[in-house]
Amino acid sequence: MAGDPSCGTRDASRVVWVVCGLAFVLTATVFHSATLSTSSGPVRKSVHTAIGQRAPGRAARLSGRELETRAGRPPPRPAVWPTAAASVAWRERRPFDKAAAITEVGYPAKSSGGLVDEDRAVLARWYIKADSVFEIGIGESTKIAIFVGVPRLTGVDGALEWIGMASQGAPSHYRFHWADLGKIAEWSNPTDTAARPKWPMYSFGALAAESAGFDFYLVDGRFRVASAAACFLHAARTGKQPDEFAVAIHDFSDRVPTYGPILALTYSVDGFKPPPGKPAPAPAHTRSSGVKLVVLRRKQDATDEQFLALWEKYKVEIG
């Protein structure tokens, strides 16, 4: 998602979203590009208004009055503001079968995104029962969603070639977003620090375009701590109770010291079981055997303010 200061407003009381830029078609999928001011104040306020609002009647959420005081009352949505991606029972739900998926939906015969068999098994059992999935970082997981027939899916990625590959075979109502990070290297790692003001949009821009929450959020791209925090905020804003959704982070077992801060507000319900206690300082990336994916749920006493603070701290940490 692009962040163009010329399209945004620097009025501290409001953050005006403008749907602008280039809309183009790739494999029958529309990409949306949104712009807003990228100075730290407006971006943080847009997170308050876009993914941090409290659903009525929900406990441990920011109140509307608090948001209005600190972030300004959000402006009315323009007519072109995107709503939730469509949810369509477009095929009969079925368990994931790798051999059949290779033939039917172009699932890669050899892993190209880092998933191991244990990760695939975890995703398959969550995707088969999820009516909606949001993916930050798309690829093999998207093919699993297509094969099992997830009714509603939205994905975002920083590499157009990955979007083209993953969206092949997807139904036309699936929604994909390209995130503009500037120049990128392998695995969408941004290399141009001049584009740094755009980076916070990666973790929440596509979420802000979704007016309904998701049953399952997968974080497998860049800025993973910030992205996970944004997913938890989005679920809260759209009325999801802590036991009504889950957020998964890939490669967690290899990067506990890097991704561990999210554990202060969450707990594991499937996949990798993080060791108890605060993660000890260690090299950021180590290789472990077995499942690398962790599936998290929000602790009952965790607050939106804590998730927002986490997002603020890690919004430009590539991860």
Side-chain angles (χ1 to χ4, degrees):
M1 308 293 287
D4 182 357
S6 67
C7 291
T9 178
R10 297 187 181 278
D11 184 342
S13 65
R14 294 165 64 92
V15 177
V16 179
W17 283 75
V18 180
V19 177
C20 64
L22 178 66
F24 57 92
V25 177
L26 181 60
T27 60
T29 304
V30 176
F31 291 74
H32 300 282
S33 181
T35 63
L36 54 76
S37 173
T38 55
S39 63
S40 61
V43 168
R44 187 172 197 274
K45 290 176 176 61
S46 70
V47 176
H48 270 289
T49 56
I51 60 175
Q53 290 190 41
R54 177 178 66 91
R58 304 292 178 174
R61 305 290 191 268
L62 292 175
S63 72
R65 185 175 296 276
E66 287 174 314
L67 285 165
E68 290 170 12
T69 300
R70 284 176 285 177
R73 184 183 295 276
R77 291 181 175 183
V80 293
W81 186 283
T83 57
S87 180
V88 178
W90 62 284
R91 77 177 333 161
E92 185 177 352
R93 305 301 292 272
R94 55 181 175 170
F96 179 66
D97 182 291
K98 184 179 177 180
I102 291 172
T103 301
E104 295 182 28
V105 300
Y107 189 88
K110 183 178 180 180
S111 176
S112 56
L115 292 180
V116 297
D117 287 339
E118 293 89 342
D119 297 331
R120 295 184 188 97
V122 173
L123 287 178
R125 62 176 170 260
W126 282 87
Y127 278 22
I128 190 65
K129 61 185 180 182
D131 288 329
S132 54
V133 170
F134 186 91
E135 296 184 337
I136 300 181
I138 65 175
E140 285 189 62
S141 58
T142 316
K143 294 296 188 181
I144 294 175
I146 294 169
F147 185 86
V148 304
V150 172
R152 172 184 168 226
L153 181 139
T154 294
V156 59
D157 204 278
L160 288 172
E161 59 268 29
W162 275 99
I163 295 173
M165 179 276 293
S167 61
Q168 290 178 12
S172 60
H173 69 277
Y174 277 17
R175 179 181 287 175
F176 297 96
H177 298 259
W178 171 63
D180 180 10
L181 297 174
K183 294 180 180 179
I184 58 173
E186 191 177 23
W187 307 115
S188 293
N189 281 294
T191 59
D192 184 5
T193 55
R196 185 183 175 96
K198 299 178 180 181
W199 295 356
M201 285 289 292
Y202 180 93
S203 57
F204 83 91
L207 283 169
E210 297 291 336
S211 58
F214 294 83
D215 297 335
F216 193 84
Y217 298 78
L218 173 63
V219 176
D220 193 14
R222 303 277 59 87
F223 310 97
R224 293 191 192 185
V225 175
S227 294
C231 289
F232 279 103
L233 284 168
H234 181 264
R237 169 230 172 184
T238 53
K240 291 280 191 180
Q241 289 282 36
D243 62 350
E244 293 176 337
F245 72 98
V247 177
I249 304 176
H250 190 222
D251 296 315
F252 202 98
S253 64
D254 294 340
R255 307 173 189 178
V256 173
T258 303
Y259 304 153
I262 196 72
L263 296 176
L265 307 176
T266 64
Y267 62 96
S268 173
V269 295
D270 200 356
F272 176 68
K273 300 299 180 185
K278 185 177 180 180
H285 292 188
T286 58
R287 286 296 172 188
S288 61
S289 59
V291 66
K292 302 177 185 298
L293 185 83
V294 67
V295 181
L296 303 171
R297 280 209 159 118
R298 174 179 179 146
K299 291 180 178 178
Q300 289 289 342
D301 59 352
T303 68
D304 284 355
E305 279 288 7
Q306 290 173 309
F307 281 107
L308 186 62
L310 199 64
W311 178 87
E312 179 71 30
K313 183 176 180 179
Y314 291 96
K315 62 187 179 182
V316 292
E317 293 292 327
I318 296 173

